[in-house]
Structures are given as C-alpha cells and as structure tokens.
Amino acid sequence: MTTGLDFIGDVHGCRSELLQLLQRLEYKKTRPDRRKLVFIGDLTDRGPDSVGVIEDVAALVAQDKAYYIPGNHCDKLYRYFLGRPVQIRHGLETTVAELAALSRSSYDRTRQTFMRLFENAPLYLPLYNGEVIAAHAGIRRKDIGASGKAVREFVLYGDVDREQQQPGKLPKRRDWVLQEKNQRDAPWIVYGHTPVRKPRVYRRTINIDTGCVFGGALTAFRYPELTTVDVPSRQAEQPEKFRVFEPDEPLDSYR
Ligand SMILES: [Mn+2]
C-alpha cells in the first residue's frame, strides 16, 4: 500500500514542465516515502515532446513509481500505431511529426513502449482502498465497477452531447459533476480532459487539467492530503481553450 498518491493531469507533450513537477514532488532521484504517481491520460499531442513524455511515463510505470490510465488522445495514438485509419488532427499531427523524425529503431521502440503501456492500463482506476478513482474525463459514481462501450466513451471523452454536435466541429461537453450527489464518504473522482484555470472542485470531484499545453500550468493533486502542486507552463497562452465551470468549491473545505 502506498502512503500517498500524486495525480497528474493532461501532460500533452509538455515534458520540461513534467520534469519540473516531478522534481517539486521529489520523484527525480528516489521515490519519496513510498508515494506513487497517477497519470490520468493524454500524455501526447500538441506539446513539444510527446515522445519524451511517453518514455518518461513508461519508465516510471516500469519502476513501479507510477500508475497510468489512458485518455482520448492515448486511445487515438494507439489506433494510429495499430494502423487504423485515424484523422491526423487535434494535436496528433505534432506526435506524428515527432515520430517521423525518429530513426527506424527509435520509432519501433517508442511504438512498442506506448502500445505496451496502453495495453496494460485499466480504463479507470480505483485506488487507496477505493477512496479515490482516477478516470481521464471522469466517471459517474454509479458506473464505478462497470465496463462496456458507454462507460468507456464517457471515461475517455466525457459527457458529450452528440445531438448538438455540428458537422466538423468538436462535440459539446456537459458538466457531468452537476449530476453527482453530495455524499460524505463518496469516493473522490480525479479527472482532467477539459482545461480549467484552477483545479475545479465540486462534490468530491476534482478536474486537474489546468491546460499546461495552452499556457496554463501542470498540476498534481495529492491524496490523502487534498493539496495541489503546480508548475507554470512554458507554452504560448491560448485563453480561448479554457472553460469556466460553476459552481466550484474551495479544496480546503474538504480538509
Ligand atoms: Mn482528453
């Protein structure tokens, strides 16, 4: 059993920010006090070093210092590596360009490393005796323990409104946490997927995707401490990528 968990949201190829955050969390040399990292998906796409992030995260998982669960960008990269027809857009084009610049042997190694990481990952992950669940875009508490296509779609893509979808545009995402009950002792749900300026807390859920690749920050959520640690982004600011969700709650009201 670990003494604590450090969840890290959507890295999207922001390797230098990741390494700085790991330093702040003291993972660089040895594992601090038997804590463990939890990467909650979307390692690649859009940022400057997706290949480096794949190598870093796979190495941490192999050393038993980290868990990893996939995000929608991971799912698409996996299908790309399988040779399935996927659209090289929405950020995948940067990862594909990085891969194209590799030597044949480096390409093969990265492909194998990523595919193995993905194949060994659960869709979502209950941790700390089920007190906390990691799921890329979130999960309804009633679905914890369930699998199947609808749950998979929700966990990877969120609560998307397919009916309102405009042709060629990304579907709208609903604020799924509003449907969750306010229950003491309900498991915490740690998710990302939709960039927010500050970690958004509501009813024992926390969105920790603070949009590093869009100029925000890379954030870690520490459990059971219920604190966050963040490092500022080195990427260009893209304010239009961030969403504002109401209501939210102060994290320290749960401590
Ligand atoms: Mn995502």
Side-chain angles (χ1 to χ4, degrees), residues 188-204:
W188 272 88
I189 295 170
V190 186
Y191 69 105
H193 186 56
T194 305
V196 287
R197 283 284 173 195
K198 287 211 153 85
R200 191 272 185 117
V201 176
Y202 187 66
R203 296 186 168 173
R204 300 169 76 84

Side-chain angles (χ1 to χ4, degrees), residues 10 42 72-73 136 193:
D10 311 45
D42 284 3
N72 53 308
H73 287 259
H136 175 65
H193 186 56

Side-chain angles (χ1 to χ4, degrees), residues 89-153:
R89 51 194 289 226
H90 303 305
L92 182 59
E93 65 279 9
T94 71
T95 304
V96 167
E98 283 183 45
L99 292 166
L102 297 177
S103 68
R104 184 63 204 244
S105 62
S106 298
Y107 175 88
D108 288 346
R109 200 193 54 213
T110 298
R111 176 177 182 270
Q112 192 184 51
T113 300
F114 179 79
M115 289 182 79
R116 191 172 296 163
L117 180 71
F118 185 93
E119 285 164 3
N120 289 322
L123 177 62
Y124 58 90
L125 190 58
L127 293 161
Y128 223 84
N129 284 324
E131 286 179 28
V132 55
I133 316 291
H136 175 65
I139 186 168
R140 293 191 173 102
R141 289 193 182 87
K142 69 173 178 58
D143 290 333
I144 295 169
S147 56
K149 197 165 179 281
V151 174
R152 188 172 194 278
E153 284 284 300

Side-chain angles (χ1 to χ4, degrees), residues 132-207:
V132 55
I133 316 291
H136 175 65
I139 186 168
R140 293 191 173 102
R141 289 193 182 87
K142 69 173 178 58
D143 290 333
I144 295 169
S147 56
K149 197 165 179 281
V151 174
R152 188 172 194 278
E153 284 284 300
F154 189 100
V155 168
L156 291 178
Y157 295 91
D159 190 7
V160 295
D161 194 346
R162 299 269 177 217
E163 277 160 30
Q164 302 290 320
Q165 188 173 355
Q166 313 259 332
K169 291 218 171 154
L170 289 174
K172 271 210 156 35
R173 296 174 190 170
R174 296 192 196 92
D175 189 11
W176 66 274
V177 302
L178 298 179
Q179 313 297 320
E180 292 298 299
K181 293 200 180 85
N182 197 9
Q183 269 180 325
R184 277 183 91 83
D185 304 329
W188 272 88
I189 295 170
V190 186
Y191 69 105
H193 186 56
T194 305
V196 287
R197 283 284 173 195
K198 287 211 153 85
R200 191 272 185 117
V201 176
Y202 187 66
R203 296 186 168 173
R204 300 169 76 84
T205 71
I206 182 167
N207 176 355

